[in-house]
Amino acid sequence: MAEFKMTPWEVNGKIDYTILERQFGIKQINEDLLERIKIQAHELHYMFRRNIFFGHRELNWILDEYEKGNPFYLYTGRAPSGNMTLGHLIPFLLTKWLQEKFDVEIYIQIPDEEKFLSKENIRDINKQRELCYDNILDILALGFNPKKTKIFLDTEYASVLYKQACRVAKHITFSTVKDAFGMKNETNIGLIFYTSMQAVPAFLKSIEVGHNVPCLIPLAVDQDVHFRVARDVIGKLGYYKPAILHGKFLPGLDGSTKMSSSNPNNAIYLTDTHEEVIKKVNKAVTGQQATAELQKKYGGDPEKCMICQYYKYLFEPDDKKLEAIFEAERTGTILAGEHKKDLAEKINRFLDEHNKKKKEIKDKLDDYIIRA
Ligand code: TRP
């Protein structure tokens, strides 16, 4: 059995998704559910088709309610510890698609206190604010609907959030979070409290409108633990427990499970220059044979080739084209050099476009940000 360690603040080793299901009760998104999403959305996002979003809690219920004419709202978030990477975009891309297809509202939480509390090397909470606003531009550049998207920093929206967080916190003991997160007695008390802040947007809409509204939370699977702790409490407070959608991590360029933002060569940042992208992609693990001759003879394994995987996760939404790329890898008709060159070009084109949109959204921030 693969060894891995996963808390929201640390992910190490190779993640075994079947353990997640057995130990944590995360259900797999099965064919029936995919069919139901497809009926409602009129298509299936490639992240669903490819099992990149693989797990859920109570997605059936969200769809039941939606079919009855009781729409849900979406909630997700990002706690900045640095510039955003390609991997960070995955949950936001799916969330944006869900917003478009289901025509629903989104709350995006930017907990500017979280990484200040969890990371030794982040010492200045004021600097977090700048970083947050830059990350917000990256998120909004993906094209969320300004009429249906609210985004907030915890410290700027605290007078609304804090009161509700206290209501949650009263029902969570230290021993519960200690177990759930592997905390120690030395863990700072800010971090012990933090889960209650992350819980609030999952019922905030219900408070605002004065009746219960279903909430769906797309997230990267390491975030599930906050809601394992908070869902029952939210239920106890009289609100609907939120439903969850679980996504996998974009693998690192070296083939590790997660594109880690703390290892800069392993991750592509949205701020990387063309040269940096080319350099990093050139170093990516391809799983190809030692020489061009051997590769042509035996082919490679697309599952082990990070170039193929980056197409799968982000850069080739068309299944037929993806299969052609995988097939070229398997049969050795594409060699590593060409493969890498193509991907680096695609990434650079994406980043150019992204940075253009990021600039354009700058003046429109006030359409999205809420403060108290
Ligand atoms: N804790 C998340 C992070 O480290 C940020 C976050 C806040 C979040 N609320 C969320 C993520 C809800 C997913 C869903 O980035």
Side-chain angles (χ1 to χ4, degrees):
M1 197 181 292
E3 279 264 322
F4 77 94
K5 174 170 176 176
M6 184 176 72
T7 76
W9 301 294
E10 194 184 359
V11 181
N12 281 322
K14 195 161 171 52
I15 291 175
D16 183 334
Y17 291 101
T18 59
I19 297 187
L20 294 180
E21 187 165 353
R22 242 191 355 260
Q23 275 188 6
F24 302 131
I26 295 172
K27 299 252 164 38
Q28 299 221 23
I29 301 177
N30 60 20
E31 289 300 320
D32 283 356
L33 263 175
L34 289 178
E35 196 47 42
R36 287 188 73 186
I37 300 169
K38 193 171 173 183
I39 289 169
Q40 295 302 337
H42 306 296
E43 61 170 303
L44 263 188
H45 195 275
Y46 76 86
M47 289 187 197
F48 282 126
R49 299 198 306 269
R50 295 174 190 169
N51 210 30
I52 294 169
F53 271 77
F54 68 97
H56 77 102
R57 295 182 189 274
E58 292 198 273
L59 184 59
N60 304 294
W61 163 72
I62 286 285
L63 293 168
D64 289 345
E65 290 300 313
Y66 188 80
E67 284 165 12
K68 282 190 244 161
N70 184 24
F72 56 94
Y73 72 105
L74 293 156
Y75 159 42
T76 192
R78 149 113 185 125
S81 59
N83 290 323
M84 284 178 79
T85 67
L86 289 176
H88 293 136
L89 295 182
I90 288 180
F92 288 105
L93 286 167
L94 188 86
T95 306
K96 192 228 153 195
W97 181 85
L98 290 166
Q99 171 175 63
E100 220 170 85
K101 297 295 161 185
F102 290 86
D103 192 28
V104 293
E105 273 194 285
I106 305 183
Y107 284 47
I108 301 173
Q109 180 177 38
I110 308 293
D112 49 331
E113 81 283 37
E114 182 184 355
K115 295 291 158 69
F116 170 74
L117 293 167
S118 69
K119 289 197 179 265
E120 200 61 54
N121 62 337
I122 296 184
R123 296 208 174 82
D124 184 349
I125 195 165
N126 291 315
K127 288 222 177 92
Q128 285 303 97
R129 195 170 169 278
E130 269 164 59
L131 194 57
C132 283
Y133 274 92
D134 188 66
N135 279 207
I136 287 173
L137 294 177
D138 281 318
I139 293 166
L140 293 178
L142 302 179
F144 291 96
N145 177 349
K147 294 208 175 66
K148 299 202 170 192
T149 305
K150 291 180 176 166
I151 188 158
F152 49 87
L153 267 61
D154 279 4
T155 61
E156 290 184 350
Y157 205 44
S159 63
V160 171
L161 300 176
Y162 183 63
K163 188 164 53 174
Q164 302 306 332
C166 287
R167 295 176 69 208
V168 175
K170 194 168 179 176
H171 294 277
I172 305 176
T173 65
F174 177 41
S175 76
T176 298
V177 283
K178 197 173 173 185
D179 273 5
F181 292 90
M183 286 173 177
K184 306 194 180 73
N185 283 336
E186 292 72 31
T187 301
N188 74 64
I189 61 173
L191 217 46
I192 297 169
F193 181 76
Y194 173 71
T195 293
S196 42
M197 288 296 283
Q198 187 155 327
V200 174
F203 59 93
L204 197 56
K205 177 86 192 159
S206 299
I207 292 180
E208 282 172 8
V209 298
H211 61 85
N212 278 349
V213 186
C215 175
L216 175 63
I217 312 176
L219 43 70
V221 64
D222 62 332
Q223 296 296 314
D224 181 71
V225 55
H226 287 294
F227 299 101
R228 286 204 293 281
V229 171
R231 284 178 83 249
D232 283 344
V233 177
I234 293 170
K236 262 189 217 158
L237 294 176
Y239 306 106
Y240 290 142
K241 294 182 190 182
I244 317 269
L245 271 175
H246 304 87
K248 294 180 183 173
F249 301 111
L250 178 68
L253 288 166
D254 66 352
S256 57
T257 309
K258 190 180 174 203
M259 185 186 234
S260 164
S261 42
S262 44
N263 177 358
N265 285 322
N266 203 10
I268 289 169
Y269 290 86
L270 302 180
T271 45
D272 280 351
T273 62
H274 284 198
E275 290 68 36
E276 281 166 328
V277 169
I278 293 167
K279 214 169 94 197
K280 288 179 185 182
V281 170
N282 273 335
K283 283 196 198 138
V285 167
T286 62
Q288 292 213 351
Q289 309 288 342
T291 66
E293 269 72 70
L294 286 172
Q295 178 63 15
K296 280 185 188 147
K297 198 161 167 201
Y298 298 111
D301 180 353
E303 292 310 320
K304 296 198 179 119
C305 167
M306 290 309 114
I307 308 299
C308 289
Q309 292 303 307
Y310 275 51
Y311 280 117
K312 173 179 164 182
Y313 275 77
L314 281 170
F315 294 103
E316 188 45 81
D318 182 317
D319 287 350
K320 284 210 184 83
K321 288 184 185 160
L322 183 73
E323 183 42 38
I325 293 170
F326 274 36
E327 189 58 17
E329 169 70 21
R330 275 192 291 265
T331 54
T333 44
I334 188 154
L335 297 179
E338 189 189 347
H339 215 14
K340 286 173 171 171
K341 188 166 160 278
D342 291 349
L343 179 68
E345 272 169 20
K346 266 226 152 126
I347 295 178
N348 279 330
R349 249 177 288 146
F350 167 81
L351 291 181
D352 288 346
E353 192 58 28
H354 178 81
N355 285 313
K356 209 171 97 205
K357 291 189 203 142
K358 193 173 166 181
K359 274 204 194 94
E360 286 165 8
I361 204 86
K362 229 177 180 153
D363 302 331
K364 307 199 180 97
L365 268 187
D366 286 342
D367 298 347
Y368 300 89
I369 304 264
I370 50 173
R371 301 183 179 94

